Amino acid sequence: MANSPLNIPTSMKVINITEHGGAEKLQLIDQPLPTLSEDYLLVKVEAAGVNRPDIFQRMGSYPPPPDASPILGLEIAGTIVAKANNVEQWQVGDNICALVAGGGYAEYCLVHKDIALPLGNLSFIEGAAIPENFFTVWANVFQIGQLKKDETVLIHGGTSGIGSVAIMLAKAFGATVITTVGSSEKVEVAKGLGADCVVNYRHDDFVQQTLDYTNLRGVDMVVDIVGGDYVSKNYQVAAKFGRIIQIGMMQGNPKNLNLMPLMVKRLIHTGSTMRSRTITEKISIATDLKQQVWGMLQKGELKPFINKVYSLDHVADAHRYMESGDLYGKIVLINK
C-alpha cells in the first residue's frame, strides 16, 4: 500500500494528554507512527496550528470523532514522506498543508489526499496557520452564508484567528466589514486587516455603532464566535432577511432568548462545526479554496495572520498564551 523511497522511523514524538485538565497535562512522548491506508499521505510535520478546540479537547469537553486520531492538532504543514499506492496527484517530497481531524501535534501525521493543498510559495509556518480558519470561514461565510459582493457583514472577534480570516476574505470578495474587538491596540490591528468600521466593545455599544454605521438598516450577515448574550444583540443589528452564522460559543448558550426579532425580520440563524464534517464535505471546501482563494495566498494578496511560534516541546506555553485572551492571529507550533 505504501509508496516511499525515504527511510522513515518506526516511532515519533507526539503530545499526549496525561489526563484532562490544565496545560501542565500535556506531555511529549514516543509513539508508533500511524498506519498508512488507501487515499492517505504520511506527512512529516514541520509546523502545526494551535486552535481553541485543542484547549477544549485537553480539558475533556471536545472529544475527537471516533475515526479521528486522539492526538491534538487540526491543521499541519509538512513534507510528504509516503503515500498510498492509489495516490497519483501527489509525490513523495511535495510540501503541503492540510486540515486534519486530529494528529497534528506530532512529528508525522496522516492526511487525506484530496484535502491536502500545495504550499507553493508559502512557508511551513504560514501553511500551518491556514487550514482550520480558512476552511471554517469559507464553509460558513461563503458556502452556507452565501456572502456576496457589496453586502455588509459584522464579524465578532475581528483579531482572532477566525475573525481575521473572515475580515480578509470578506474584503477580498467585495463586502463591507464591521468588526468588534476588545482593546485600542486591536482596533488598529483590525483596521490593518481591512475592516471598514471597528468597534471596541469595552468602550462602545456595538449594536448602536453598527446601526449608526449602516444608517439604521443593519447588516446582511453576522459572523459570531461568542454566543451568550451576543445572540439577541445580533438579532438587533441584522437587517431584514439577514443571516447570523454561529461559528463559536465562547460565552455558552444564550439565556432567555427572544426569538420574535428573528421571526419579524425573517432572519436565518445557522452554523456548523468543522471537525465532524465528512471527508466529502471537507474535499468540497478544499476544492473551493484551491480554485478561489489559493491564488491570492500564493501572490501574497492574502497573508495568514501569525502572532507567535513555539516549539512542540513548549506546547504548554502556547496553550497558556491562547487561554490568556490577549492574543490576536494564529499560534503555530514547529518541530525542531
Side-chain angles (χ1 to χ4, degrees):
M1 179 71 71
N3 181 342
S4 173
L6 303 179
N7 292 322
I8 303 171
T10 57
S11 65
M12 61 179 181
K13 299 288 187 184
V14 308
I15 296 299
N16 178 55
I17 303 172
T18 58
E19 60 180 335
H20 296 307
E24 73 280 359
K25 304 300 183 182
L26 300 174
Q27 178 186 50
L28 191 67
I29 64 170
D30 288 308
Q31 187 170 298
L33 263 66
T35 302
L36 188 61
S37 58
E38 189 174 84
D39 293 332
Y40 277 81
L41 313 167
L42 181 65
V43 177
K44 185 178 187 302
V45 178
E46 298 293 343
V50 177
N51 294 282
R52 198 158 294 276
D54 302 341
I55 306 292
F56 298 148
Q57 182 175 336
R58 188 201 74 214
M59 296 175 69
S61 60
Y62 191 62
D67 58 345
S69 168
I71 300 169
L72 294 173
L74 301 175
E75 57 189 342
I76 61 103
T79 303
I80 298 171
V81 296
K83 63 175 187 169
N85 287 331
N86 71 323
V87 175
E88 296 181 354
Q89 71 266 47
W90 298 106
Q91 301 301 321
V92 171
D94 288 346
N95 294 330
I96 60 102
C97 64
L99 186 76
V100 293
Y105 289 17
E107 289 184 306
Y108 293 87
C109 182
L110 293 178
V111 170
H112 192 280
K113 64 183 178 65
D114 295 321
I115 299 176
L117 291 162
L119 270 190
N121 297 325
L122 299 165
S123 69
F124 289 121
I125 290 173
E126 290 173 324
I130 290 171
E132 174 69 12
N133 290 338
F134 274 78
F135 272 68
T136 298
V137 170
W138 187 264
N140 284 280
V141 176
F142 292 90
Q143 289 187 337
I144 296 174
Q146 295 289 303
L147 182 66
K148 299 174 182 66
K149 182 180 179 183
D150 297 326
E151 288 192 320
T152 301
V153 56
L154 169 63
I155 298 167
H156 290 303
T159 58
S160 67
I162 290 287
S164 60
V165 171
I167 291 173
M168 289 188 286
L169 285 178
K171 291 301 297 179
F173 286 88
T176 297
V177 173
I178 304 168
T179 192
T180 61
V181 297
S183 70
S184 55
E185 178 186 8
K186 290 180 179 179
V187 168
E188 297 308 311
V189 172
K191 288 179 179 178
L193 291 168
D196 299 286
C197 173
V198 185
V199 181
N200 183 341
Y201 65 83
R202 297 187 190 278
H203 295 159
D204 297 304
D205 177 4
F206 77 77
V207 173
Q208 190 60 52
Q209 294 287 318
T210 299
L211 292 174
D212 287 347
Y213 189 81
T214 59
N215 295 316
L216 302 182
R217 175 184 176 273
V219 296
D220 300 289
M221 180 183 293
V222 180
V223 180
D224 186 18
I225 62 173
V226 181
D229 63 5
Y230 270 42
V231 175
S232 61
K233 295 178 181 180
N234 294 337
Y235 292 175
Q236 293 179 54
V237 301
K240 191 175 181 180
F241 305 113
R243 292 94 75 200
I244 293 88
I245 310 297
Q246 204 72 47
I247 297 182
M249 298 288 289
M250 291 176 61
Q251 285 188 4
N253 291 315
K255 298 176 181 177
N256 303 315
L257 178 63
N258 179 10
L259 292 176
M260 188 57 68
L262 178 143
M263 298 164 66
V264 171
K265 294 182 179 181
R266 285 172 270 181
L267 306 177
I268 294 173
H269 188 172
T270 186
S272 71
T273 59
M274 181 57 59
R275 193 177 195 182
S276 60
R277 284 172 176 255
T278 65
I279 291 293
T280 301
E281 290 176 296
K282 292 175 182 177
I283 291 171
S284 169
I285 302 166
T287 300
D288 272 5
L289 287 173
K290 190 172 182 179
Q291 292 174 348
Q292 302 196 54
V293 176
W294 220 247
M296 290 185 277
L297 284 164
Q298 292 297 319
K299 293 174 186 175
E301 296 168 356
L302 296 175
K303 288 183 176 291
F305 186 37
I306 297 163
N307 185 319
K308 280 195 176 185
V309 178
Y310 293 85
S311 61
L312 188 63
D313 57 354
H314 284 83
V315 63
D317 293 331
H319 274 221
R320 291 186 188 102
Y321 182 53
M322 172 163 276
E323 290 175 288
S324 73
D326 292 332
L327 79 159
Y328 46 83
K330 290 290 294 189
I331 300 171
V332 176
L333 301 173
I334 55 173
N335 275 310
K336 292 202 281 189

